Amino acid sequence: QVQLLESGGGLVQPGGSLRLSCAASGFIFSRYDMSWYRQAPGKERELVAGITTFGGSTNYADSVKGRFTISRDNAKKTVYLQMNSLKPEDTAVYSCKAKPGRGYYGYDYWGQGTQVTVSS
């Protein structure tokens, strides 16, 4: 059974940090590109950051460049999102997504999401 389980969300003050984790099971993690998306109330879901199968390439939304870092540990089947210098506008539900990497085929998978609230 495929599962993506996010954790690490919560309430943090502006300027603070959080690290999100997304633990995968039920598929060959190392064959999938992983990404983090977020959706704030009343807004469309947006891509926050992505990382390729073995971490050779990453990409970020302009709004989080220099503040967020995506990484992965294929042995632990986990992708991380380190979020620093958090702003109120970072408040959203953060979800991870798995998409087959280059040369591989299959379905995309989504996690249920974890709430991040940045507020004083």
Side-chain angles (χ1 to χ4, degrees), residues 21-84:
S21 300
C22 172
S25 60
F27 62 97
I28 302 175
F29 183 74
S30 61
R31 293 183 179 181
Y32 282 72
D33 295 338
M34 299 298 297
S35 52
W36 286 95
Y37 284 75
R38 68 185 181 186
Q39 187 167 21
K43 294 187 177 181
E44 292 188 357
R45 184 165 56 190
E46 63 172 344
L47 174 66
V48 176
I51 187 167
T52 52
T53 51
F54 285 90
S57 179
T58 58
N59 63 284
Y60 297 91
D62 288 343
S63 59
V64 307
K65 282 181 181 176
R67 300 189 297 123
F68 291 10
T69 302
I70 189 170
S71 62
R72 66 189 293 161
D73 185 334
N74 285 353
K76 295 183 178 179
K77 299 180 181 180
T78 301
V79 62
Y80 305 96
L81 185 68
Q82 178 66 44
M83 306 186 295
N84 298 328

